[in-house]
Amino acid sequence: MDDTLPPTSPDDFPDDRPPSKSQVKRDMHALLDLGRELIALPPAKLAKLPLNESLREAIALAQRIHSNEGKRRQVHYVGKLMRQADAPALRAQLDVWANGSREETRSMHRLEELRDRLIDSDDTLTQLLERFPGLDIQSLRAQIRAARKETRDNAALPEGREPARKHFRALFQTLKTLNFEDEPF
């Protein structure tokens, strides 16, 4: 007689079982869908992705094919090649392109806040110049003055008129060139 007891809970079963046939099919369809997304990308964005050469060539060929059946077959071939690709990294990059990264959004909000503080107060400019002593002070002061004038002029506009944003945006673009990596300002 065997004295061992059969497993009584799902945790007692080993997890080294192979995935079910349905799960394998779901995974393959997900790779196929990812391949379709890659085929829809412009060549400039494809060049930025970490793809092996055979996958890159298959995607380029799929983009050139216009025949329905030929394109379907090439899409399936791209899906097959996707098995060797780093799918999570590709999905993450596509997500960043589609939605923008949260960190990038936070960075832009910090720059907008800094721009608003520069327009409101000269103390912020003094702090900025202390942190970045190599800045072109004259150019930055001129941009801030122009943005302040633009803000005053926009406040006096009659209702329904579009406010000017040229100098406001130029100041923002200047701030984007500064390196705030170590800590936010």
Side-chain angles (χ1 to χ4, degrees), residues 29-120:
H29 282 288
L31 288 175
L32 190 63
D33 291 340
L34 181 59
R36 284 187 183 111
E37 287 182 51
L38 294 177
I39 291 169
L41 288 176
K45 283 192 175 184
L46 275 174
K48 296 177 184 177
L49 292 174
L51 302 172
N52 62 37
E53 196 58 36
S54 61
L55 180 56
R56 193 175 302 279
E57 289 172 4
I59 290 171
L61 180 61
Q63 289 174 333
R64 290 192 306 264
I65 295 175
H66 296 290
S67 160
N68 285 340
E69 181 60 20
K71 186 154 191 128
R72 184 194 67 79
R73 290 180 62 187
Q74 188 65 22
V75 166
H76 279 271
Y77 179 64
V78 167
K80 178 182 176 185
L81 292 177
M82 290 294 298
R83 295 176 197 165
Q84 286 86 33
D86 186 9
L90 293 172
R91 280 190 187 101
Q93 183 60 49
L94 290 175
D95 184 51
V96 166
W97 285 339
N99 304 320
S101 73
R102 289 185 181 102
E103 187 172 317
E104 186 178 300
T105 303
R106 275 192 298 269
S107 172
M108 292 299 156
H109 285 294
R110 283 194 300 266
L111 287 175
E112 288 170 353
E113 180 184 323
L114 176 59
R115 176 193 56 203
D116 293 342
R117 290 187 309 180
L118 282 170
I119 291 173
D120 291 340

Side-chain angles (χ1 to χ4, degrees), residues 146-168:
R148 286 176 180 165
K149 181 179 180 319
E150 192 174 67
T151 303
R152 282 192 307 273
D153 293 346
N154 288 341
L157 281 177
E159 192 172 324
R161 294 265 329 258
E162 189 69 30
R165 295 284 188 195
K166 177 182 176 185
H167 301 291
F168 203 64

